Amino acid sequence: MAKLPPKPGASTRSVHAGEREHHQDHALATPIHQTATFWFENSAELREYAEGRLQRDEYGRYSNPTWRVVERKLAALEGAEAVVLTGSGMAAATTTFLALLERGDHVVVTRDCYRRTRQFIKQILSKLEVTATVIEPADTGALKAALRDNTRFFFTESPTNPYLRVIELPEAARIVHERGGDIKVLVDSTLASPINQQPLAQGADLVLHSATKYLGGHNDLIAGAVVGSAQATAPVRALAGVLGGILDPHAAWLLLRGLKTLGLRMAQHNANGLAVARWLEGHPKVRRVFYPGLESHPDYRVASELMSGFGGVISFEVEGDLAATIRFTDGCRLPYNAPSFGGAESLIEMPVLMSYWDQPQAERQALGISDNLVRLGCGIEDSADLIADLEQALARV
Ligand code: PLP
């Protein structure tokens, strides 16, 4: 195993943590263990393994050596004991929810949240008679009032998607844990990454990531992760092996490669996010900007306390109707018109046409998804080039 200095910085951890486990051929780059299964010398070895006297791999749905390096690296970055890798961010959420819940349980979730997570809670968990109370992100009073004897967890994104609300996690965790009864605090920290925010240190029990975004960082893989103590992640790991939404070893290797530059990339995402958000806020063709690094954002104070950077995702409303907003996004030359964020390339989308295209207008309005809302995930290009491109595209509004 890599010998790290006593208090390694985040980039030292992202380069070295978890590495040097594989000594067989001294390859510096961790090999891709592209195998479905693992063989035993003989039945005696199998027995030793089955009785827990030997730690090794058995079958690719349960563990893989390439995964293990990624899991250790991400654990070191989040200051956690354990990580469970999954085949997508959605698999991370759905496996965690199902691992924690029994029929008839209750959960509390915040309103501003990735659409498919909300769909899973509403359409699938309801089949298990699990009920959900939906609260506004900053409403700690509503959180306290929502907790019941059968509540199993409070789930929130922070920052949230698409309005970038930042939850006062230490306070929320205090309220939940003071209630007693082993209610867990689950935080989807995808929009922050472990570079910008450490939810476990702020009271969360489990942290979830869509590793598709900043962790992978290159728009070339789909992956997820669940992070926490060995005890809290154990049921998630066990259920992941049963549900089977696991990560292919090659994608795990790509994720490993992406993680090594996480600190460098996040510095550029943060710088671009702040520069572009400030510029957009001063532009006459932009009505409103939602970015937690702007003083105008309702959670600016909380974000400044809890986060060391605000990321590359900015939501904003164009000063115009649906057609004008389409003229703007179609006019952008650098950002791709695509869902997702967190990779090298900037991506831009109109939620009304992308994630929410099939929802009736009344439902969209209830969620605040207006026709002129745009989500921009700043990549790692030069901010001056991004701003110049947005300038020429806004001229079409
Ligand atoms: N969580 C957040 C905050 C997201 O934005 C997304 C996807 O956009 C997900 C979870 C789902 O992740 P994946 O696409 O990797 O399944």
Side-chain angles (χ1 to χ4, degrees):
M1 282 292 277
K3 289 192 192 74
L4 297 181
K7 284 191 175 168
S11 284
T12 305
R13 278 175 281 156
S14 74
V15 174
H16 288 290
E19 305 282 346
R20 302 190 211 197
E21 183 192 13
H22 176 88
H23 271 253
Q24 215 170 314
D25 50 20
H26 290 91
L28 190 143
T30 293
I32 309 174
H33 290 85
Q34 192 71 48
T35 184
T37 190
F38 301 84
W39 60 279
F40 289 83
E41 289 287 348
N42 50 39
S43 309
E45 190 185 1
L46 173 59
R47 191 181 180 119
E48 218 185 317
Y49 165 74
E51 290 174 354
R53 288 179 283 119
L54 177 68
Q55 297 289 315
R56 49 155 289 165
D57 301 288
E58 175 201 343
Y59 186 59
R61 192 166 9 86
Y62 307 135
S63 68
N64 175 289
T66 310
W67 289 0
R68 239 186 334 272
V69 181
V70 186
E71 289 177 351
R72 288 192 180 141
K73 200 180 283 299
L74 191 48
L77 282 165
E78 286 281 14
E81 262 178 356
V83 169
V84 181
L85 284 183
T86 56
S88 66
M90 279 312 297
T94 56
T95 308
T96 303
F97 293 172
L98 289 173
L100 297 180
L101 290 167
E102 302 277 349
R103 179 178 293 278
D105 279 344
H106 170 255
V107 300
V108 183
V109 295
T110 42
R111 187 170 69 101
D112 193 23
C113 160
Y114 176 57
R115 181 184 170 194
R116 298 296 172 201
T117 313
R118 189 152 13 90
Q119 183 181 352
F120 183 76
I121 292 168
K122 201 169 158 188
Q123 289 180 3
I124 309 298
L125 290 185
S126 57
K127 292 185 187 177
L128 289 174
E129 290 158 29
V130 170
T131 51
T133 303
V134 181
I135 62 167
E136 292 302 317
D139 197 344
T140 45
L143 172 61
K144 196 170 187 174
L147 299 173
R148 304 183 193 156
D149 289 343
N150 63 340
T151 306
R152 280 296 140 258
F153 61 75
F154 165 54
F155 169 80
T156 185
E157 293 173 8
S158 190
T160 63
N161 181 10
Y163 285 108
L164 290 306
R165 299 301 308 265
V166 179
I167 309 303
E168 204 162 355
L169 269 179
E171 176 63 2
R174 188 189 61 74
I175 290 170
V176 170
H177 293 142
E178 269 183 5
R179 181 69 163 69
D182 192 29
I183 309 175
K184 292 208 161 30
V185 176
L186 273 47
V187 178
D188 181 331
S189 190
T190 299
L191 273 87
S193 91
I195 300 294
N196 285 348
Q197 174 178 271
Q198 307 261 293
L200 293 173
Q202 294 166 10
D205 297 295
L206 286 169
V207 172
L208 283 69
H209 282 284
S210 166
T212 312
K213 311 296 190 305
Y214 292 121
L215 302 183
H218 292 76
N219 288 323
D220 58 5
L221 63 90
I222 300 277
V226 184
V227 188
S229 68
Q231 196 189 12
T233 53
V236 182
R237 192 181 301 283
L239 189 62
V242 176
L243 294 181
I246 50 108
L247 192 60
D248 178 79
H250 185 251
W253 186 85
L254 283 172
L255 177 54
L256 184 63
R257 186 183 162 116
L259 277 173
K260 291 191 186 184
T261 55
L262 182 64
L264 281 175
R265 289 185 289 101
M266 286 315 297
Q268 186 72 0
H269 285 296
N270 291 341
N272 282 351
L274 194 57
V276 172
R278 282 186 177 147
W279 178 82
L280 283 170
E281 196 168 43
H283 198 288
K285 300 265 178 76
V286 174
R287 190 172 295 165
R288 264 202 300 180
V289 182
F290 306 91
Y291 186 73
L294 294 179
E295 283 179 33
S296 56
H297 191 278
D299 304 322
Y300 172 73
R301 183 192 59 78
V302 177
S304 305
E305 258 172 44
L306 300 183
M307 300 181 74
S308 53
F310 308 108
V313 178
I314 307 164
S315 293
F316 58 99
E317 287 173 358
V318 166
E319 192 62 72
D321 59 6
L322 181 70
T325 311
I326 290 175
R327 279 201 300 282
F328 160 65
T329 53
D330 283 358
C332 289
R333 295 177 188 140
L334 273 184
Y336 287 81
N337 194 329
S340 202
F341 58 86
E345 301 84 2
S346 292
L347 307 182
I348 198 160
E349 63 158 297
M350 288 172 59
V352 69
L353 299 184
M354 192 76 76
S355 316
Y356 292 86
W357 65 273
D358 57 345
Q359 287 212 321
Q361 196 175 20
E363 275 179 41
R364 282 204 308 265
Q365 269 169 356
L367 293 166
I369 307 293
S370 54
D371 287 356
N372 58 349
L373 182 68
V374 175
R375 192 185 75 186
L376 170 66
C378 294
I380 58 170
E381 302 94 337
D382 295 292
S383 58
D385 292 329
L386 282 175
I387 288 172
D389 188 41
L390 295 169
E391 172 96 85
Q392 65 80 27
L394 278 171
R396 298 165 184 241
V397 171

